[in-house]
PDB file of all heavy atoms in Angstrom:
ATOM      1  N   ARG D  31     -32.467 -65.156 -70.960  1.00 98.00           N
ATOM      2  CA  ARG D  31     -32.618 -66.603 -70.607  1.00 98.00           C
ATOM      3  C   ARG D  31     -31.873 -66.892 -69.265  1.00 98.00           C
ATOM      4  O   ARG D  31     -30.837 -66.304 -69.030  1.00 98.00           O
ATOM      5  CB  ARG D  31     -31.916 -67.514 -71.710  1.00 98.00           C
ATOM      6  CG  ARG D  31     -32.205 -68.875 -71.646  1.00 98.00           C
ATOM      7  CD  ARG D  31     -31.314 -69.685 -72.524  1.00 98.00           C
ATOM      8  NE  ARG D  31     -31.506 -69.667 -73.939  1.00 98.00           N
ATOM      9  CZ  ARG D  31     -32.152 -70.446 -74.761  1.00 98.00           C
ATOM     10  NH1 ARG D  31     -32.797 -71.494 -74.105  1.00 98.00           N
ATOM     11  NH2 ARG D  31     -32.233 -70.223 -76.077  1.00 98.00           N
ATOM     12  N   ILE D  32     -32.504 -67.767 -68.479  1.00 98.00           N
ATOM     13  CA  ILE D  32     -31.811 -68.208 -67.204  1.00 98.00           C
ATOM     14  C   ILE D  32     -30.885 -69.276 -67.564  1.00 98.00           C
ATOM     15  O   ILE D  32     -31.341 -70.258 -68.148  1.00 98.00           O
ATOM     16  CB  ILE D  32     -32.892 -68.733 -66.206  1.00 98.00           C
ATOM     17  CG1 ILE D  32     -34.004 -67.815 -65.984  1.00 98.00           C
ATOM     18  CG2 ILE D  32     -32.146 -69.071 -64.867  1.00 98.00           C
ATOM     19  CD1 ILE D  32     -33.755 -66.505 -65.395  1.00 98.00           C
ATOM     20  N   PRO D  33     -29.543 -69.005 -67.443  1.00 95.00           N
ATOM     21  CA  PRO D  33     -28.466 -69.997 -67.815  1.00 95.00           C
ATOM     22  C   PRO D  33     -28.840 -71.444 -67.319  1.00 95.00           C
ATOM     23  O   PRO D  33     -29.064 -71.560 -66.185  1.00 95.00           O
ATOM     24  CB  PRO D  33     -27.165 -69.422 -67.344  1.00 95.00           C
ATOM     25  CG  PRO D  33     -27.448 -68.014 -67.118  1.00 95.00           C
ATOM     26  CD  PRO D  33     -28.898 -67.925 -66.828  1.00 95.00           C
ATOM     27  N   GLY D  34     -28.938 -72.360 -68.270  1.00 92.00           N
ATOM     28  CA  GLY D  34     -29.080 -73.769 -67.789  1.00 92.00           C
ATOM     29  C   GLY D  34     -30.445 -74.157 -67.559  1.00 92.00           C
ATOM     30  O   GLY D  34     -30.663 -75.325 -67.138  1.00 92.00           O
ATOM     31  N   GLU D  35     -31.414 -73.295 -67.713  1.00 96.00           N
ATOM     32  CA  GLU D  35     -32.821 -73.603 -67.525  1.00 96.00           C
ATOM     33  C   GLU D  35     -33.730 -73.313 -68.616  1.00 96.00           C
ATOM     34  O   GLU D  35     -33.296 -72.297 -69.381  1.00 96.00           O
ATOM     35  CB  GLU D  35     -33.367 -73.011 -66.144  1.00 96.00           C
ATOM     36  CG  GLU D  35     -32.536 -73.376 -64.947  1.00 96.00           C
ATOM     37  CD  GLU D  35     -33.246 -72.860 -63.710  1.00 96.00           C
ATOM     38  OE1 GLU D  35     -34.381 -73.043 -63.503  1.00 96.00           O
ATOM     39  OE2 GLU D  35     -32.452 -72.043 -62.947  1.00 96.00           O
ATOM     40  N   ASP D  36     -34.898 -73.849 -68.803  1.00 97.00           N
ATOM     41  CA  ASP D  36     -35.841 -73.552 -69.807  1.00 97.00           C
ATOM     42  C   ASP D  36     -36.719 -72.379 -69.422  1.00 97.00           C
ATOM     43  O   ASP D  36     -37.951 -72.520 -69.519  1.00 97.00           O
ATOM     44  CB  ASP D  36     -36.498 -74.716 -70.273  1.00 97.00           C
ATOM     45  CG  ASP D  36     -35.747 -75.741 -71.130  1.00 97.00           C
ATOM     46  OD1 ASP D  36     -34.580 -75.311 -71.620  1.00 97.00           O
ATOM     47  OD2 ASP D  36     -36.105 -76.949 -71.320  1.00 97.00           O
ATOM     48  N   LEU D  37     -36.120 -71.327 -69.012  1.00 98.00           N
ATOM     49  CA  LEU D  37     -36.834 -70.144 -68.531  1.00 98.00           C
ATOM     50  C   LEU D  37     -36.220 -68.863 -68.859  1.00 98.00           C
ATOM     51  O   LEU D  37     -34.989 -68.936 -69.243  1.00 98.00           O
ATOM     52  CB  LEU D  37     -36.799 -70.191 -66.922  1.00 98.00           C
ATOM     53  CG  LEU D  37     -37.424 -71.445 -66.311  1.00 98.00           C
ATOM     54  CD1 LEU D  37     -36.995 -71.391 -64.710  1.00 98.00           C
ATOM     55  CD2 LEU D  37     -38.907 -71.362 -66.360  1.00 98.00           C
ATOM     56  N   PHE D  38     -37.053 -67.802 -69.017  1.00 98.00           N
ATOM     57  CA  PHE D  38     -36.455 -66.491 -69.227  1.00 98.00           C
ATOM     58  C   PHE D  38     -37.110 -65.454 -68.486  1.00 98.00           C
ATOM     59  O   PHE D  38     -38.401 -65.651 -68.183  1.00 98.00           O
ATOM     60  CB  PHE D  38     -36.357 -66.190 -70.736  1.00 98.00           C
ATOM     61  CG  PHE D  38     -37.636 -65.983 -71.341  1.00 98.00           C
ATOM     62  CD1 PHE D  38     -38.200 -64.856 -71.637  1.00 98.00           C
ATOM     63  CD2 PHE D  38     -38.325 -67.215 -71.884  1.00 98.00           C
ATOM     64  CE1 PHE D  38     -39.464 -64.663 -72.376  1.00 98.00           C
ATOM     65  CE2 PHE D  38     -39.499 -67.128 -72.548  1.00 98.00           C
ATOM     66  CZ  PHE D  38     -40.040 -65.856 -72.814  1.00 98.00           C
ATOM     67  N   LEU D  39     -36.462 -64.371 -68.175  1.00 98.00           N
ATOM     68  CA  LEU D  39     -37.059 -63.175 -67.558  1.00 98.00           C
ATOM     69  C   LEU D  39     -37.389 -62.162 -68.652  1.00 98.00           C
ATOM     70  O   LEU D  39     -36.537 -62.016 -69.483  1.00 98.00           O
ATOM     71  CB  LEU D  39     -36.082 -62.489 -66.519  1.00 98.00           C
ATOM     72  CG  LEU D  39     -35.880 -63.357 -65.225  1.00 98.00           C
ATOM     73  CD1 LEU D  39     -34.579 -62.863 -64.525  1.00 98.00           C
ATOM     74  CD2 LEU D  39     -37.101 -63.190 -64.340  1.00 98.00           C
ATOM     75  N   ILE D  40     -38.509 -61.414 -68.428  1.00 98.00           N
ATOM     76  CA  ILE D  40     -38.830 -60.384 -69.457  1.00 98.00           C
ATOM     77  C   ILE D  40     -39.627 -59.300 -68.669  1.00 98.00           C
ATOM     78  O   ILE D  40     -40.096 -59.461 -67.619  1.00 98.00           O
ATOM     79  CB  ILE D  40     -39.748 -61.030 -70.514  1.00 98.00           C
ATOM     80  CG1 ILE D  40     -39.952 -60.070 -71.745  1.00 98.00           C
ATOM     81  CG2 ILE D  40     -41.097 -61.460 -69.998  1.00 98.00           C
ATOM     82  CD1 ILE D  40     -40.345 -60.632 -72.987  1.00 98.00           C
ATOM     83  N   LYS D  41     -39.757 -58.149 -69.405  1.00 98.00           N
ATOM     84  CA  LYS D  41     -40.452 -56.914 -68.784  1.00 98.00           C
ATOM     85  C   LYS D  41     -41.906 -57.216 -68.728  1.00 98.00           C
ATOM     86  O   LYS D  41     -42.444 -57.907 -69.538  1.00 98.00           O
ATOM     87  CB  LYS D  41     -40.229 -55.773 -69.893  1.00 98.00           C
ATOM     88  CG  LYS D  41     -40.922 -54.501 -69.453  1.00 98.00           C
ATOM     89  CD  LYS D  41     -40.687 -53.396 -70.477  1.00 98.00           C
ATOM     90  CE  LYS D  41     -41.468 -52.129 -70.230  1.00 98.00           C
ATOM     91  NZ  LYS D  41     -42.865 -52.308 -70.244  1.00 98.00           N
ATOM     92  N   PRO D  42     -42.517 -56.626 -67.639  1.00 97.00           N
ATOM     93  CA  PRO D  42     -43.986 -56.776 -67.547  1.00 97.00           C
ATOM     94  C   PRO D  42     -44.610 -55.835 -68.587  1.00 97.00           C
ATOM     95  O   PRO D  42     -44.082 -54.910 -69.098  1.00 97.00           O
ATOM     96  CB  PRO D  42     -44.301 -56.404 -66.134  1.00 97.00           C
ATOM     97  CG  PRO D  42     -43.099 -55.408 -65.762  1.00 97.00           C
ATOM     98  CD  PRO D  42     -41.937 -55.999 -66.508  1.00 97.00           C
ATOM     99  N   SER D  43     -45.877 -56.074 -69.037  1.00 95.00           N
ATOM    100  CA  SER D  43     -46.587 -55.481 -70.083  1.00 95.00           C
ATOM    101  C   SER D  43     -46.962 -54.024 -69.619  1.00 95.00           C
ATOM    102  O   SER D  43     -47.556 -53.904 -68.550  1.00 95.00           O
ATOM    103  CB  SER D  43     -47.755 -56.320 -70.574  1.00 95.00           C
ATOM    104  OG  SER D  43     -48.466 -55.636 -71.565  1.00 95.00           O
TER     105      SER D  43
END
Side-chain angles (χ1 to χ4, degrees):
Chain D
R31 192 196 289 262
I32 311 294
E35 299 189 51
D36 285 346
L37 297 167
F38 64 98
L39 288 164
I40 191 166
K41 178 182 178 292
S43 181

